[in-house]
Amino acid sequence: MNKPSVMMRASYLQLRKHLWIFLIIIAVNTLVSVIVSLSMGKGENTHVSIANIFTLLLVVVGTVLPGNFFKRMINLGATRKEYYVGILCVYSLLAAAFAVINIVWFQVEIGIIHLYEQTFNILEIFHWNQFGLVGMFIYQFGAYLLVLSLFTLLISGSRHVVGWVIWVFLIAAIPIFTSIAPLRAILTDGLLILLFNDSLLQGFGLTFVISCICLYGGWWFTKKRTLS
């Protein structure tokens, strides 16, 4: 078995219990939604898209793989480069897979589920559905890769002083930018450009470039990381 296959299998084993937890959550959420819909009547219940909930697993992936998985793979004989290239392959596959899942489920919602109840779907909220099937896939891929790369940067740098500075900056920036009106306007404009962009090229380009920067930062931290 070649090394990429080993990395894929090892990643799955590391994430398997989290996957089952999410499947259970989705099953419970679906059951509750059905019960509420039956009790409220047709078209009266609105809930978050099941596929969108499942996509939150990307946050877990971006946290778990740069965490304990690093030490495990190095102890098994992988180099830092092999480990990092491996998780980049996993990230790319998952970003593409979740993009496809959301697109397929969105079609199911439009054709069937919306006849009985309404849903909140990020493809509609962010207006990514205006770009067609291919455009939805491309924009989602960039956005999901951005999520994975950001958490990789934060977790990989959690034991380095530069990483602590990044953590402190983000923790401080959130309340500051949301509480001060001029900064809140800047934050809003930035999110609009990043996630609500009417240009597919600009939207994907920005998410992809920021992802590359975060991934490079994650690699810089990984090269300096110890096993302790």
Side-chain angles (χ1 to χ4, degrees):
M1 185 179 293
N2 56 31
K3 290 184 178 179
S5 299
V6 171
M7 283 292 299
M8 294 294 178
R9 178 170 175 77
S11 299
Y12 167 73
L13 293 175
Q14 187 75 25
L15 295 166
R16 181 171 54 185
K17 66 177 181 180
H18 303 287
L19 176 62
W20 279 109
I21 291 173
F22 262 78
L23 289 176
I24 292 173
I25 292 174
I26 291 174
V28 172
N29 177 79
T30 303
L31 178 61
V32 171
S33 178
V34 171
I35 294 174
V36 172
S37 296
L38 292 175
S39 63
M40 294 181 64
K42 182 178 178 180
E44 296 296 326
N45 182 36
T46 303
H47 63 88
V48 178
S49 170
I50 295 174
N52 291 175
I53 296 175
F54 191 56
T55 303
L56 291 175
L57 182 63
L58 292 176
V59 176
V60 178
V61 174
T63 303
V64 173
L65 293 189
N68 295 333
F69 186 64
F70 166 79
K71 184 176 180 179
R72 178 181 178 183
M73 294 309 299
I74 297 301
N75 286 336
L76 288 175
T79 65
R80 281 169 166 74
K81 183 178 180 180
E82 290 170 342
Y83 150 78
Y84 206 70
V85 170
I87 65 170
L88 290 184
C89 292
V90 173
Y91 287 172
S92 298
L93 288 175
L94 287 179
F98 279 105
V100 171
I101 290 172
N102 274 292
I103 291 173
V104 172
W105 189 253
F106 183 55
Q107 305 308 311
V108 174
E109 289 180 342
I110 294 175
I112 301 176
I113 295 178
H114 284 180
L115 297 176
Y116 304 96
E117 60 185 12
Q118 296 301 309
T119 59
F120 295 113
N121 194 303
I122 58 175
L123 296 178
E124 291 181 304
I125 294 173
F126 295 147
H127 306 299
W128 294 343
N129 56 328
Q130 67 178 306
F131 301 116
L133 296 178
V134 176
M136 283 191 288
F137 175 84
I138 293 173
Y139 214 136
Q140 282 186 96
F141 181 84
Y144 299 159
L145 190 62
L146 176 58
V147 172
L148 290 164
S149 63
L150 177 59
F151 277 93
T152 298
L153 173 66
L154 293 174
I155 301 303
S156 298
S158 60
R159 298 185 180 183
H160 194 282
V161 63
V162 178
W164 301 342
V165 171
I166 296 174
W167 272 99
V168 170
F169 173 78
L170 289 177
I171 293 173
I174 293 174
I176 291 175
F177 273 79
T178 54
S179 60
I180 301 176
L183 295 180
R184 186 165 59 246
I186 294 175
L187 177 62
T188 302
D189 291 341
L191 291 175
L192 288 173
I193 294 173
L194 188 64
L195 298 176
F196 296 83
N197 205 309
D198 289 331
S199 169
L200 176 61
L201 181 60
Q202 290 182 4
F204 173 73
L206 285 172
T207 56
F208 186 74
V209 168
I210 297 174
S211 297
C212 290
I213 294 173
C214 290
L215 290 173
Y216 179 80
W219 169 239
W220 187 82
F221 287 128
T222 299
K223 290 191 296 182
K224 299 178 178 298
R225 191 170 173 180
T226 63
L227 295 179
S228 58

